[in-house]
Amino acid sequence: MESRRHIGFVARTRAHGTSADSAVASPSAEKYTSVPRDVAIDFARFICLALVVVGHCMMMSPVLNPDGTVTTENTLALQPWFVPVIWIVMVMPLFFVMGGVTGLQSWRRLRARGGTGIEFAQLRLLRLIRPATALLTCMFLGLWAARLLGVDQQVIQLMASGAGMPLWFLAAYLTAQLAVPVLARLHDRAPWLTLGALVAAVIAVDCFRGAFPTLAFINLVFVWCAVQQLGFLLADGAADRLSRTQLVAVVAGSNLVLGVVTGLDLYTGNMLVNLNPPNLCLFLLGISQAATLQLLRPGMEWLMSVQWIQAMVSVSGRRAMTIYLWHLPLLVALSGVLLLTDFPKPAATTAGWWWARPLVLIAVIGLLIPVLAVFGRLEDRPIAGPHSRRRPGAAVVTAVVVVFVPVVDAALNGLTLGLLGGGAVCFALAVLLLGRVPARA
């Protein structure tokens, strides 16, 4: 009898349709091309995205100083209870765990249909950079217009750097996804050795980051690829073989190790500080969150059987990247407009400021609705006709380089108005280079 948890995916909704190519595929190919959606992953991704949006609405607090300068305060991070809470709500590792699950399955489906690593990279690039191109273009035009209208240069720079924060996640996630074909091959041959090698690289970088601070940014690759490998293990059903007691032990054990390394002051206990650039603490959190995802899977599957919840998750899931990329720039723009008006602005940490947070969240959601209507369709992949010419590998490789040049510049030197414009041009050029996705992908 076929296992209820077919290669790590359970309680699905409807199965993916198979193409004509898969109809004559081998039994191994059929196993990958017929895998249904994992509704628990969809629900968990929705919760993570909601936590990110709510968290940013609670963090940002621009301040107009008496001398006319503008600064920002992370009000949430200044609270005495923030450090223990951020251990729970720091969901970035879980995003990469889930990206590992879906990325591995997508790659296997494509490969079973005769696809290549170049086609996989083309598909992943287009899905991520098309929404980002629209964001960079609009940010550049908006901030340039503000500059022409006489808005202080310091305010523009503050808004550019603040609104561009989500782009670091895009760069890290894109890097990890582009590595899926290579890492999947290594995972198929030696899964635990591959994971161990990545963790060893993470620790090695952490050991030298004090003497060579710039070296720490290499862990944007090693840490998130290691966390992504945890998703590979989930996709292959490794967690299905563990009992609930064993999963609880994994959660407790990873948090215990995390407590030890932070208690010994090898790392700070503030996971927000540990996030950029990431270090071993984020991998340990990833282990805990991967096990927790498996523990909560039955409850999430039950919730997804409720029709209105399934509909809400489905709608947000199709536009998740647009929501993630745009929510913070809209929040920054809203805060900037309020600073320039006489609208009441309660001081940070006051009762009035906290009570205003739900209103800020509602305002951001209201601004997101027209943005999703206009730009959300950019997340739909552009499929070429069956007789269209395949995109050569050189064009895809060139597109990768063109995308990462402004991204690396922004990571090392910060996002500026000029870099926003240059980044928009580079991303648009990459979209043109990538063309359309082959029909079989």
Side-chain angles (χ1 to χ4, degrees):
M1 179 179 294
E2 184 176 357
S3 173
R4 176 176 176 266
R5 295 184 176 181
H6 182 48
I7 59 171
F9 287 93
V10 299
R12 280 31 178 236
T13 52
R14 62 187 182 276
H16 289 300
T18 56
S19 67
D21 292 329
S22 64
V24 294
S26 66
S28 177
E30 176 65 23
K31 177 176 69 172
Y32 295 128
T33 56
S34 62
V35 174
R37 284 195 71 86
D38 186 341
V39 295
I41 292 291
D42 291 342
F43 184 80
R45 186 181 288 113
F46 170 79
I47 295 299
C48 289
L49 184 59
L51 285 173
V52 169
V53 175
V54 171
H56 283 157
C57 289
M58 296 179 66
M59 285 181 174
M60 180 166 292
S61 180
V63 178
L64 181 61
N65 300 307
D67 61 357
T69 59
V70 178
T71 56
T72 57
E73 292 180 359
N74 189 336
T75 306
L76 194 61
L78 298 176
Q79 307 309 305
W81 43 263
F82 176 77
V83 170
V85 169
I86 197 65
W87 277 42
I88 301 172
V89 298
M90 171 55 69
V91 293
M92 283 303 162
L94 188 53
F95 272 115
F96 284 87
V97 170
M98 295 184 293
V101 174
T102 57
L104 181 64
Q105 295 305 317
S106 295
W107 163 239
R108 284 174 171 171
R109 285 195 299 269
L110 178 62
R111 187 178 60 180
R113 294 167 179 161
T116 65
I118 289 295
E119 291 175 0
F120 182 85
Q122 180 187 4
L123 176 59
R124 280 297 188 261
L125 279 165
L126 279 172
R127 282 186 166 179
L128 294 176
I129 69 173
R130 289 176 79 220
T133 303
L135 171 67
L136 292 175
T137 302
C138 290
M139 283 178 59
F140 173 74
L141 294 176
L143 292 177
W144 185 260
R147 182 175 181 179
L148 293 178
L149 292 173
V151 176
D152 187 86
Q153 177 66 29
Q154 182 197 21
V155 176
I156 292 176
Q157 177 56 46
L158 194 65
M159 294 178 70
S161 57
M165 285 175 59
L167 294 176
W168 78 261
F169 168 80
L170 176 67
Y173 190 77
L174 183 56
T175 300
Q177 287 289 295
L178 291 177
V180 163
V182 174
L183 293 177
R185 187 179 297 275
L186 295 173
H187 170 79
D188 290 339
R189 293 179 178 177
W192 295 106
L193 179 60
T194 301
L195 180 61
L198 286 169
V199 174
V202 169
I203 296 173
V205 171
D206 284 349
C207 289
F208 290 101
R209 68 193 299 166
F212 307 99
T214 305
L215 186 68
F217 286 95
I218 299 177
N219 265 349
L220 283 167
V221 177
F222 290 144
V223 168
W224 297 128
C225 283
V227 176
Q228 183 175 257
Q229 294 297 113
L230 298 174
F232 286 10
L233 294 172
L234 289 184
D236 279 346
D240 297 340
R241 296 188 286 272
L242 300 179
S243 67
R244 295 186 67 82
T245 301
Q246 290 172 319
L247 288 170
V248 170
V250 171
V251 174
S254 57
N255 280 283
L256 178 62
V257 175
L258 188 56
V260 169
V261 297
T262 55
L264 294 175
D265 288 332
L266 299 177
Y267 299 92
T268 177
N270 190 328
M271 293 303 143
L272 192 61
V273 175
N274 289 327
L275 181 62
N276 193 23
N279 54 39
L280 180 66
C281 293
L282 276 301
F283 175 74
L284 295 173
L285 268 184
I287 295 176
S288 175
Q289 291 173 358
T292 301
L293 176 66
Q294 189 69 16
L295 279 169
L296 299 180
R297 180 180 285 277
M300 291 187 289
E301 291 163 355
W302 179 84
L303 287 170
M304 283 293 285
S305 68
V306 180
Q307 189 172 4
W308 70 267
I309 293 179
Q310 188 180 95
M312 179 176 61
V313 171
S314 177
V315 170
S316 65
R318 290 195 299 268
R319 300 293 180 253
M321 184 55 64
T322 304
I323 294 172
Y324 178 81
L325 289 174
W326 278 89
H327 80 276
L328 193 53
L330 291 174
L331 177 60
V332 170
L334 177 64
S335 301
V337 170
L338 291 178
L339 282 177
L340 298 175
T341 66
D342 294 329
F343 194 85
K345 294 175 280 293
T349 72
T350 63
W353 189 89
W354 287 109
W355 282 110
R357 294 309 93 195
L359 297 177
V360 171
L361 176 61
I362 292 172
V364 170
I365 293 174
L367 292 172
L368 273 171
I369 292 174
V371 168
L372 290 172
V374 175
F375 299 112
R377 69 191 68 182
L378 292 176
E379 291 196 58
D380 299 332
R381 66 178 187 177
I383 301 295
H387 303 295
S388 62
R389 186 173 61 89
R390 292 174 58 184
R391 188 63 43 171
V396 177
V397 173
T398 304
V400 172
V401 175
V402 167
V403 165
F404 276 93
V405 165
V407 166
V408 172
D409 191 354
L412 296 178
N413 303 312
L415 192 61
T416 63
L417 181 59
L419 189 54
L420 272 175
V425 172
C426 288
F427 276 45
L429 176 59
V431 171
L432 292 175
L433 286 169
L434 291 168
R436 291 179 174 270
V437 178
R440 70 183 177 190

